[in-house]
Amino acid sequence: MKVRITVGEETKLNGYLNIDPITKFDDVAVDIRNIDEVVENASCKELISDHILGFLEKEEAIRVLKGYMKKIRHNGTIIVSEIDSYEVARSFYRKEIDSDFFNKAVHGNFSHPWDVKMSSYTLEELADILASGGFKIIKKRLNGIRLTIEAQRP
């Protein structure tokens, strides 16, 4: 099973169970904080957490990420994408982004009631959480202010 979890994504990823509480692809209406009713533990070949942790309070987001990690089968992968708070601050300091872009990256767009950021992360922080859960970090990438980590369950 392949799973992709998003918030407010407009495009469906083929070949995946797309979980999005706003778009509700294929009428899958499940809370992103607990996907137990649609995904069993150790059943995912791949799980993509696509820019969702920032919409949750920090402690809850870490608990949710650890819950996602339980869904990965042996030799399966989890891919986590987020905004890197260090890179946002650095880009703002270097005047590579303006204050409007900075505020939207850190706080959200406020275009919808759910579009408010509650927490922020760095590449190393999320990699440490995955590694402490026994996952092997396969890739760590930064693309501007966006981070992506791919980790495998041994």
Side-chain angles (χ1 to χ4, degrees), residues 93-123:
Y93 175 77
R94 291 181 174 174
K95 300 184 189 234
E96 296 168 352
I97 60 173
D98 62 19
S99 60
D100 186 49
F101 188 94
F102 173 85
N103 285 322
K104 288 179 180 177
V106 172
H107 305 294
N109 291 321
F110 294 88
S111 59
H112 302 284
W114 52 264
D115 195 4
V116 178
K117 299 281 183 94
M118 305 293 285
S119 58
S120 56
Y121 306 89
T122 65
L123 179 72

Side-chain angles (χ1 to χ4, degrees), residues 42-54:
S43 67
C44 288
K45 177 180 179 181
E46 181 176 282
L47 186 145
I48 302 171
S49 170
D50 195 0
H51 296 285
I52 61 134
L53 298 175

Side-chain angles (χ1 to χ4, degrees), residues 1 35-44 70-72:
M1 168 182 263
I35 60 172
D36 288 349
E37 68 182 73
V38 292
V39 182
E40 293 182 23
N41 286 349
S43 67
C44 288
K70 291 177 184 176
K71 303 301 179 190
I72 307 301

Side-chain angles (χ1 to χ4, degrees), residues 44-47 72-73 75-79 150-153:
C44 288
K45 177 180 179 181
E46 181 176 282
L47 186 145
I72 307 301
R73 70 183 188 194
N75 297 316
T77 58
I78 184 168
I79 301 167
E150 184 174 333
Q152 183 178 46
R153 182 177 183 188

